[in-house]
Amino acid sequence: MAINSKDDNIRVTDSRALNNPGYPADAMLAALAGIDDGVIIVSASRVVEYLNAAAERIFRPVSHKRDNMTFIEFVRDYELDTLLRRCMETGVKQSAMIRMHQNNILLQITVLPDNARFCYVVVIKDLSEHQHLENIRRDLISNISHEFRTPIASIKLLAETMIENDGKDPGLSKDFLEKIVIEANKLTQMTDDLRELAEIEKGKSAFNKGIINIRRLIELVVRRLEAQAQTAGLKVEIVAEDDLPRPVIDGNRIESVLMNLVHNAIKFSYPGGKITIGANQDDDCILISVADTGSGIAESELERIFERFYMVDRSRTGEGSGLGLSISKHIVAAHGGRIWVESKEGSGSTFYFSLPLKA
Ligand code: ADP
């Protein structure tokens, strides 16, 4: 007898199990169908008697055959089959981490004997998301140590040279001390950025929202970076109406997004170039853009520049941590907006971000 519940993914193909007293009732089957872990019940002759939706999702069976399908036919994995056989031979619960050869997914498997019902319960936890987060954590730690190593090594070298010099050349000491301060500032900036990023990611960072005049905010940023743009030989233009609808945003945070974008535009531009900062209403959003006539970004790098620590060419600028765009992305997302870039290598970039008008 084959029983299909209302959910097509729940199948009990062998009536023996159902006839056993205590076998999960309908409610239990519905619960099993809804959980994220895969559950497969296998008979003593290794035929799949029950499987839930998660098990289907994990193993994506190649065949539509369901009746009398053996465990190995369903999972198509020798190691997993061996684990089941070991449980059958020993009558003892077996657990293992198995990476499936067909799709490289990492699984935590537990096989339990159910002696009362002459069957075996295989519970499968998909660890791919967990592994993905673990990889991010590992990359982050290795990136942080890599980024910190350079300024720390510079500070060490400068200090050692000063010790060797033993105050004989006061001019050199002053120069080196100034360089040490620059390197220490870089470290401070990186720790501040990292802390801010962590807080925003955790959603812990408090956003202090108010009704903000975007044109005024852009003018403030331009004023703050004017001297830097002039030194770099760049013209800055604002193209934004004064009477744009005013979004409810955290003015300080959005200012720091703009600061980062304009600062990058200055950093990656050539003398004689121009930076245009625009704002306009686009449906129910305010769309802000920062366009430059600088180096541009290769198409293959466009997505990656929003990742933590990603810098296209580290040798091009001595400053920067590669964290600015990552922080900006999180700030904009926390306002319900989106940030992206359009660019052509060699002919400049335009960064856009949207801010919804309905808070
Ligand atoms: P940082 O500026 O500290 O390096 P960001 O996260 O702000 O870090 O930027 C990451 C990278 O994106 C930069 O190192 C650079 O390679 C690239 N980038 C950002 N803005 C521009 C721009 N306007 N023109 C060209 N490349 C840019």
Side-chain angles (χ1 to χ4, degrees), residues 63-75:
S63 155
H64 291 297
K65 171 190 167 190
R66 283 292 177 274
D67 289 348
N68 289 321
M69 190 180 216
T70 59
F71 184 66
I72 184 75
E73 278 177 321
F74 180 70
V75 299

Side-chain angles (χ1 to χ4, degrees), residues 225 228 234 257-269 275 290 292 294-295 297 305 316-317 319-326 328 349 351:
L225 291 172
Q228 217 173 312
L234 299 166
V257 172
L258 268 167
M259 283 288 286
N260 180 44
L261 296 183
V262 180
H263 189 238
N264 279 347
I266 296 172
K267 226 164 48 173
F268 296 101
S269 287
I275 296 167
V290 178
D292 65 57
S295 64
I297 304 158
I305 57 169
R316 226 185 101 71
T317 53
E319 51 175 322
S321 62
L323 288 169
L325 287 177
S326 180
S328 300
S349 314
F351 283 80

Side-chain angles (χ1 to χ4, degrees), residues 125 137 262 305 310 315 359:
K125 197 180 255 307
R137 194 186 66 85
V262 180
I305 57 169
Y310 196 78
S315 58

Side-chain angles (χ1 to χ4, degrees), residues 45-63:
S45 51
R46 287 199 294 280
V47 169
V48 173
E49 293 187 344
Y50 167 84
L51 57 99
N52 69 350
E56 290 248 20
R57 205 170 46 239
I58 294 166
F59 293 100
R60 296 182 198 282
V62 273
S63 155

Side-chain angles (χ1 to χ4, degrees), residues 283-344:
D283 288 334
D284 48 3
C285 284
I286 294 291
L287 186 63
I288 299 169
S289 58
V290 178
D292 65 57
T293 51
S295 64
I297 304 158
E299 204 181 332
S300 55
E301 314 276 1
L302 289 180
E303 279 302 313
R304 300 215 60 193
I305 57 169
F306 292 95
E307 292 172 16
R308 295 187 194 100
F309 292 113
Y310 196 78
M311 295 158 97
V312 177
D313 180 3
R314 286 172 189 277
S315 58
R316 226 185 101 71
T317 53
E319 51 175 322
S321 62
L323 288 169
L325 287 177
S326 180
I327 294 174
S328 300
K329 185 175 161 183
H330 280 90
I331 293 176
V332 172
H335 283 82
R338 199 166 76 82
I339 185 166
W340 71 100
V341 59
E342 286 171 10
S343 181
K344 207 163 166 241

